[in-house]
Amino acid sequence: MDGRAMWQTALVSMPFRQADRPSIQLGLLKAIGEARGFPIRTVHANLDFVRRIGMDRYAAIADQPRPLLGDWLFAVAAFGQDAPEERLTDDEDLLRIREQDVPAYLDELVEGFPWHEFRVVGFSSSFQQNVASFALARRLKERYPDLVTVFGGANFDGEMGLELVRSIDCVDYAVIGEGDTAFPALLEAIEAGTDPTLIPGVYSRDGGTPPAQPRDGLDDLPPPDYDEYFSRAAELGLPTNDVWLPFESARGCWWGAKHHCTFCGLNGSTMRFRAKSPSRVLAEFATQSRRYRTFRFEAVDNILDVRYLTEVFPVIATEHHDYQFFYELKANLTRAQVRTLARGGVVQVQPGIESLSSHVLRLMDKGVRAAQNVNLLRWARYYGIGVSWNILWGFPGETEYDYTAQAAAVPHLVHLQPPAGADRVWLERFSPMFSQPDKFPLGPRHPDRSYRMIYPSTVDISRVAYFYDHSPDNALPDSVYATLAKAVDEWAHAWQGATPPSLTYRTSPGYLEIYDARHPERTGTYTFRDTLADIYLACVDRPTTARAVHGKLQLRHPVEAVQEAFHQFADRGLMFLDGDLALSLALPRTPGR
């Protein structure tokens, strides 16, 4: 018998990994390891904590990126007397979870699982999974001193991983960077008794070897194995009917590789864009749909591969598959492309809108204009695609006008899906705003205050922190953003009723009728004829310049007359003006065109 088949590896996902979907990191590494002959068992241990404290409480903690409440809850269990004494919260329920539920959960997890059967236990850690993972690893190492612990994931990228493997004694090895090649090679080294730190990307307290370049081809990766997630959820009585199955069709960001959005800290060392072939993606959908009896898929990609607009979603539409997808994408899509997504099963997108000011978007290096963002919201609403987005502020170089103008525009946009919120941008490791302080004068920067309430003094939190606080030089006062914040709140409130606000039009040759139901207290109908109707309709599909409209309609009037018409429409809140671009805001009343 092959020696590697005589010992097992456990891959663990600890709180506060989102509980309503399996871990793609665990599922993929399990499939890769088993293809190399290593028996691997995944353990979605986060589900046990959901059962203990309840899904609503768990989700509230997991969905809150900062402060790091989830890590703080496990700090004493992880670090014992070395954990800082300062409280992150005085909430009695949370204090009870920290003092009672966390120790009981870990005791149950250690006693109720056959850890003695495993030679290696690996932890995938992102966001608020670090400290819970350390807490379990610490207990396992105390009971099984020969057990080898391996850590990896986004929280171990770059110097974060180097500092954690140096300062946390329950971490034997850290895989820094992509683990597809390094992880099975590490298992082979342990089996052979050779030094794992000779493998690119593997580190211990004694050092290691820098990561290799990220892999080029993704087609040869196996589909993730999620069997254990569903069986464990069923065993614990947790529902899985609404699970969206994570899948990966691309890595990196093709936009970020050229123009890294200034505030984005994703893809720390793996920005280069790589994608699976359309045929491979379609095959994976079919395989996973049958295997897990689901039609819902959530892309973990940072950005949509544009090839899929012509080679994946049209195929799905033509073959009448009933998939539903979530995707992150760039907001500069045309109406036809949004229609293609909708017909191909995309029901939810995250387009990274972030602002309705072209000037602020330039400061972000987003590569889109405000009018394009609004247009994406328009056609997503028309074709029934939900949009997850936020408004951010606090960028060096912004002006008060950038926010008064957005606040003034919001009442005209309330028929479109509102942002989830509006707030000051935070500072993330790996973002240009963090890594280029000379270019971005953000003043003193220091780790988010919650890190010092979690980690022992032996850990250099300036090296492990992902979120940073900052005090920008020449920052605008908070009062500048107050009007926009209030407008966004009112926008969200307008969507809480049974019928969202609407702005729709009907047309016939030389005639346009716009029905305005954006504000219940002043609904009504606008009618326009001949040239004015034609000008408005010429700006319906996409943002357009006055000169382009003038040429398209072959008007006898001067271009200035078109510009004047733009302003007349804008004064009525029927058009969004963005520099030289004009965009009609009403949507067709006839569905599905």
Side-chain angles (χ1 to χ4, degrees):
M1 179 182 292
D2 189 337
R4 67 187 56 176
M6 300 182 66
W7 54 276
Q8 295 189 73
T9 295
L11 295 176
V12 185
S13 180
M14 290 292 284
F16 279 83
R17 167 80 193 185
Q18 289 176 311
D20 58 355
R21 67 208 67 176
S23 165
I24 191 170
Q25 294 91 342
L26 265 59
L28 181 57
L29 289 176
K30 173 180 169 62
I32 290 172
E34 291 196 333
R36 300 278 282 270
F38 291 102
I40 293 179
R41 179 171 176 178
T42 63
V43 185
H44 283 83
N46 58 322
L47 298 182
D48 297 68
F49 204 57
V50 171
R51 183 187 63 174
R52 179 171 288 274
I53 70 170
M55 177 62 84
D56 290 344
R57 175 65 89 174
Y58 183 97
I61 298 169
D63 293 342
Q64 177 180 288
R66 55 184 295 196
L68 305 176
L69 183 59
D71 277 334
W72 179 80
L73 291 174
F74 279 84
V76 172
F79 307 123
Q81 294 181 347
D82 294 331
E85 295 182 359
E86 190 174 358
R87 286 185 177 183
L88 188 55
T89 179
D90 289 321
D91 184 290
E92 292 186 1
D93 286 341
L94 292 172
L95 292 174
R96 177 187 51 77
I97 289 173
R98 175 176 158 107
E99 296 166 3
Q100 300 178 23
D101 287 311
V102 164
Y105 159 73
L106 292 169
D107 287 343
E108 183 179 273
L109 191 59
V110 170
E111 297 295 337
F113 194 77
W115 299 105
H116 64 279
E117 298 178 4
F118 297 89
R119 185 175 180 185
V120 176
V121 176
F123 294 86
S124 177
S125 181
S126 59
F127 296 108
Q128 297 191 71
Q129 286 186 285
N130 262 2
V131 184
S133 299
F134 299 150
L136 177 59
R138 177 190 179 191
R139 293 191 177 211
L140 292 178
K141 294 286 285 184
E142 290 172 350
R143 178 168 293 199
Y144 308 106
D146 294 333
L147 188 71
V148 177
T149 59
V150 181
F151 283 74
N155 285 342
F156 279 75
D157 203 0
E159 72 170 354
M160 297 186 297
L162 296 176
E163 176 60 17
L164 290 170
V165 76
R166 180 200 71 79
S167 60
I168 306 297
D169 58 9
C170 62
V171 179
D172 292 327
Y173 296 101
V175 175
I176 296 177
E178 295 180 350
D180 310 311
T181 301
F183 176 68
L186 183 151
L187 295 183
E188 289 175 344
I190 293 174
E191 176 201 6
T194 59
D195 184 0
T197 63
L198 298 177
I199 300 165
V202 177
Y203 288 81
S204 72
R205 273 175 288 284
D206 297 324
T209 304
Q213 289 296 314
R215 67 182 302 141
D216 288 321
L218 303 183
D219 276 10
D220 58 338
L221 293 173
D225 183 336
Y226 297 134
D227 291 358
E228 178 267 338
Y229 169 84
F230 286 99
S231 62
R232 193 171 189 84
E235 179 183 340
L236 296 172
L238 299 176
T240 58
N241 294 335
D242 295 328
V243 167
W244 289 71
L245 210 64
F247 74 96
E248 176 185 60
S249 52
R251 292 181 182 175
C253 179
W254 53 260
W255 174 254
K258 298 180 292 184
H259 299 276
H260 193 169
C261 297
T262 61
F263 62 90
C264 178
L266 299 177
N267 303 299
S269 60
T270 56
M271 182 66 77
R272 183 167 55 85
F273 185 72
R274 298 140 288 153
K276 294 177 181 176
S277 66
S279 59
R280 171 64 177 77
V281 171
L282 289 166
E284 185 166 329
F285 293 152
T287 297
Q288 297 293 75
S289 179
R290 289 194 304 271
R291 183 172 183 175
Y292 297 109
R293 295 183 294 176
T294 186
F295 301 92
R296 296 175 173 176
F297 293 93
E298 178 187 57
V300 300
D301 308 6
N302 295 140
I303 195 167
L304 175 71
D305 186 343
V306 293
R307 291 182 301 166
Y308 300 166
L309 291 167
T310 55
E311 300 180 53
V312 171
F313 298 111
V315 174
I316 292 170
T318 299
E319 296 183 357
H320 304 292
H321 298 313
D322 293 317
Y323 302 136
Q324 292 181 308
F325 298 103
F326 164 87
Y327 252 105
E328 294 190 34
L329 43 80
K330 194 168 168 61
N332 61 342
L333 298 180
T334 66
R335 173 182 180 177
Q337 289 171 329
V338 176
R339 181 171 59 234
T340 294
L341 291 175
R343 292 177 177 175
V346 175
V347 297
Q348 187 76 23
V349 296
Q350 183 175 317
I353 288 177
E354 274 89 47
S355 183
L356 301 175
S357 163
S358 287
H359 178 236
V360 175
L361 290 165
R362 285 194 295 273
L363 296 175
M364 297 179 184
D365 209 1
K366 291 293 292 184
V368 296
R369 291 178 61 170
Q372 292 173 293
N373 283 344
V374 173
N375 202 37
L376 186 281
L377 291 172
R378 291 177 67 242
W379 293 119
R381 170 79 194 275
Y382 180 69
Y383 290 111
I385 297 177
V387 183
S388 301
W389 68 289
N390 295 282
I391 288 179
L392 299 177
W393 56 64
F395 296 90
E398 63 189 10
T399 68
E400 182 173 353
Y401 175 76
D402 294 330
Y403 295 96
T404 57
Q406 289 186 76
V410 164
H412 309 313
L413 305 176
V414 294
H415 61 299
L416 309 177
Q417 186 165 348
D423 207 342
R424 182 177 294 277
V425 65
W426 54 58
L427 189 59
E428 298 180 354
R429 180 183 293 273
F430 304 121
S431 70
M433 288 174 61
F434 177 86
S435 60
Q436 302 173 35
D438 293 340
K439 184 176 180 180
F440 299 96
L442 297 176
R445 59 190 73 193
H446 45 85
D448 182 278
R449 68 182 185 89
S450 53
Y451 287 99
R452 63 180 171 82
M453 304 179 192
I454 294 167
Y455 287 96
S457 59
T458 52
V459 179
D460 185 347
I461 60 173
S462 69
R463 291 172 57 84
V464 304
Y466 180 79
F467 295 114
Y468 276 72
D469 293 325
H470 60 287
S471 302
D473 299 335
N474 303 315
L476 297 176
D478 289 341
S479 58
V480 167
Y481 313 116
T483 303
L484 176 57
K486 182 174 183 293
V488 168
D489 286 343
E490 292 173 349
W491 189 354
H493 181 74
W495 273 65
Q496 291 176 0
T499 303
S502 64
L503 180 69
T504 56
Y505 73 84
R506 294 187 296 187
T507 184
S508 63
Y511 181 71
L512 172 67
E513 186 176 272
I514 300 175
Y515 178 64
D516 187 353
R518 289 174 292 185
H519 304 282
E521 69 278 6
R522 55 178 190 276
T523 61
T525 301
Y526 296 92
T527 58
F528 302 97
R529 294 175 172 80
D530 303 324
T531 301
L532 281 177
D534 293 340
I535 290 173
Y536 192 86
L537 294 171
C539 302
V540 161
D541 275 5
R542 62 182 181 275
T544 310
T545 65
R547 187 166 298 279
V549 171
H550 186 270
K552 178 181 179 179
L553 299 180
Q554 298 182 343
L555 298 176
R556 296 180 180 178
H557 309 291
V559 172
E560 290 74 15
V562 178
Q563 294 172 330
E564 176 59 29
F566 285 175
H567 286 287
Q568 290 181 25
F569 288 124
D571 289 343
R572 294 173 170 84
L574 302 176
M575 206 172 246
F576 182 83
L577 301 186
D578 178 15
D580 62 340
L581 295 178
L583 175 67
S584 297
L585 292 176
L587 293 169
R589 180 171 292 191
T590 304
R593 288 181 172 175

